[in-house]
Amino acid sequence: PANSFQSSNNIICFNANGGVHWEIPGYMRNCLIMGNQQGPGIWINVSSTNALISGCTIVSNYYGASYGAGIRMQSPSGTIISSCIICSNTASYGVYNDVYDNVSPANINAIIYSCLGTNPGFTGAGIITGNPGFVDFAGGNYRLAANSPCINTGSNEDWMTGAVDLDGRPRI
């Protein structure tokens, strides 16, 4: 639809001013957001309602000005983050590295069936906290290892039927 943000099957990496600055309704599916600097991997602005992030890996982003180097939520309504891995992001203040809800507790249940490196109080269903078990984190291979606690723990969503991951393998 017109005036909506839509991003699928993209790699957003190594930007000097953060990854995605999201200001309108829309979705991001099946994306890798990594290595962005001086801004969050994803910044959901206060003006963005109905933001859906699904099936994404958000890792190794750095935000030197505040909290929420992986995802920074400033919208008080309609954000849903599902079936994502959000870990090993670094914020300058040393807390809320991976996800920060600037309008807490508005988004306390916004994250579901996802793996967070750290969990600053989110209470949605199916949250795993800790190391997602990448094949080779140091080498930048963010695929899941065979013994990853994240395998088969996301939510099967309608858009995933017939979809493929970034390697071209079936999502489900």
Side-chain angles (χ1 to χ4, degrees):
N3 296 321
S4 88
F5 175 80
Q6 299 175 16
S7 178
S8 295
N9 305 318
N10 290 304
I11 298 173
I12 300 164
C13 61
F14 307 122
N15 293 297
N17 293 308
V20 175
H21 191 101
W22 195 326
E23 295 191 15
I24 57 177
Y27 63 82
M28 176 172 265
R29 296 177 178 149
N30 201 39
C31 294
L32 172 62
I33 298 92
M34 58 162 270
N36 298 290
Q37 302 290 310
Q38 300 309 323
I42 300 174
W43 182 310
I44 302 171
N45 198 334
V46 67
S47 62
S48 179
T49 57
N50 301 317
L52 171 64
I53 302 168
S54 178
C56 295
T57 299
I58 302 147
V59 63
S60 296
N61 297 286
Y62 173 75
Y63 186 26
S66 190
Y67 305 114
I71 297 177
R72 182 178 177 93
M73 293 184 275
Q74 291 197 236
S75 176
S77 63
T79 299
I80 298 175
I81 301 165
S82 176
S83 304
C84 291
I85 298 171
I86 309 163
C87 71
S88 299
N89 298 285
T90 305
S92 63
Y93 295 161
V95 293
Y96 307 113
N97 289 310
D98 294 316
V99 184
Y100 178 64
D101 181 7
N102 196 57
V103 290
S104 181
N107 294 302
I108 196 164
N109 291 313
I111 301 173
I112 56 174
Y113 302 104
S114 294
C115 178
L116 306 177
T118 58
N119 182 356
F122 292 96
T123 60
I127 294 175
I128 298 170
T129 303
N131 185 338
F134 292 125
V135 168
D136 181 11
F137 176 79
N141 185 344
Y142 303 122
R143 293 168 184 87
L144 295 176
N147 62 347
S148 168
C150 298
I151 292 176
N152 293 325
T153 60
S155 175
N156 291 333
E157 300 169 31
D158 290 343
W159 71 267
M160 294 174 178
T161 302
V164 295
D165 65 15
L166 293 174
D167 286 330
R169 296 184 190 128
R171 289 286 312 179
I172 297 176

